[in-house]
Amino acid sequence: MKENADKARSLDTAAINQQLREQADQAFKIRFQMSMGQAEGLKKLRSLRKERARMLTVLRERELKAAPAAKVEAPKATKTKAAAKPAQPKAEAKTPAVKKAAAPKKTAVKKAPAKGK
């Protein structure tokens, strides 16, 4: 299993994306054949799903390696925006709560027993 992940890591991003598309097509064909009762490719389908997950994991790892550089620059930009925004007075921000009038209580009406036999 580790070998498969190492193979995926050795590929470039474009090659991984190409293999993901091919595997998605192949998985669709296997699922379609299984629904028609033509093939019993459950093992193949499972292995395709696992291989796809490995490749997506490698892509995510690469994305996260590139992300720390972007995180360093982001806080600097947010500080300047916060400083430029004027503060709102607290008196205007809060509004007093309005109490609702209590609704009259409903009283139960007893029905008279029906006269009959």
Side-chain angles (χ1 to χ4, degrees):
M1 188 173 3
K2 188 175 180 180
E3 302 86 36
N4 292 335
D6 291 336
K7 287 179 187 177
R9 284 187 183 95
S10 66
L11 297 173
D12 63 337
T13 306
I16 291 176
N17 287 329
Q18 176 65 29
Q19 283 191 355
L20 284 172
R21 282 191 294 272
E22 290 172 3
Q23 287 179 349
D25 291 339
Q26 192 174 7
F28 173 76
K29 290 176 185 176
I30 291 173
R31 281 195 310 268
F32 187 73
Q33 288 175 352
M34 286 176 57
S35 68
M36 299 298 290
Q38 294 177 356
E40 297 181 14
L42 189 58
K43 279 188 172 183
K44 180 66 175 171
L45 186 62
R46 286 180 183 169
S47 67
L48 281 173
R49 283 186 12 218
K50 289 179 182 181
E51 190 64 30
R52 184 171 202 262
R54 283 187 197 105
M55 289 187 184
L56 290 173
T57 301
V58 170
L59 287 177
R60 181 67 177 153
E61 287 173 353
R62 291 178 184 177
E63 182 181 319
L64 291 175
K65 283 182 182 178
K71 283 186 176 182
V72 173
E73 296 174 10
K76 292 178 184 176
T78 56
K79 287 181 182 178
T80 57
K81 288 180 183 178
K85 188 176 181 182
Q88 186 178 19
K90 291 184 179 180
E92 292 178 9
K94 294 183 180 179
T95 57
V98 179
K99 293 184 178 181
K100 293 183 178 180
K105 294 184 178 180
K106 295 182 180 179
T107 56
V109 179
K110 294 184 179 180
K111 293 184 178 179
K115 294 184 181 180
K117 293 184 181 177

